[in-house]
Amino acid sequence: MSWSQAVEKTVTGLGYELVDVERSAGGLLRVYIDRVPGKTYPTGGQEFVTVEDCEAVTRQLQYVLEVENVDYARLEVSSPGLDRPLKTAEHYVRFAGQQVQITLKLPFQGRKKYEGLLQAADAGEGWQLVFHDGKVDQVLDFSLDEVREARLVPVLDFKGRRNKAAPAAEPSTPGDAGEETTDGGQEE
């Protein structure tokens, strides 16, 4: 069994998804894992990979890689991050409806990078990216073999971290402390 097969078999055997593996010339073996949607994990019902998940996979991989006599200097196991890559057709299906950034292998209309909403193509074959070109919404149809790289666009929502029990403080007079809107302007 090759080292990559050993890694994949171990990660999936523990109930995680193997997102990616990197091996550097300096002996670093980096493994990216994710939780499988709908599966229950011993570390809780969280949606995201925890430190405990990474520790469990690391311990098992160290054992398996030693048994398989795989040469490496350092092993790192981590989550794919908020800007996780989309590598397989299953990833595209799972993250349809979310903002993604794609880089095409060949330029289309003079550019390779596009960012927009990922959707399945209307005809049922391939994918679409709905994006705004500064004037109107555009639709880019593409197939997976045309994509060099695709990643989720991180969505950071700090407003959701407020204490739900206590309502947010209201400004004493209208316009005192205008809140930012999504377009960067001030609410009035």
Side-chain angles (χ1 to χ4, degrees), residues 82-87 92 95 98-104 111-118 128-131 140 142 147-154:
L82 294 175
D83 64 341
R84 71 165 284 156
L86 305 181
K87 300 269 188 179
Y92 282 78
F95 295 106
Q98 295 196 32
Q99 287 289 118
V100 297
Q101 182 181 66
I102 65 169
T103 303
L104 299 173
R111 61 189 257 206
K112 289 184 178 183
K113 288 192 177 197
Y114 292 86
E115 184 176 311
L117 188 68
L118 177 65
Q128 294 180 330
L129 193 69
V130 179
F131 64 97
L140 172 68
F142 65 94
V147 176
R148 177 179 314 239
E149 180 182 38
R151 291 187 167 277
L152 287 180
V153 174

Side-chain angles (χ1 to χ4, degrees), residues 111 131-138:
R111 61 189 257 206
F131 64 97
H132 195 72
D133 72 354
K135 297 175 187 163
V136 295
D137 283 343
Q138 298 283 327

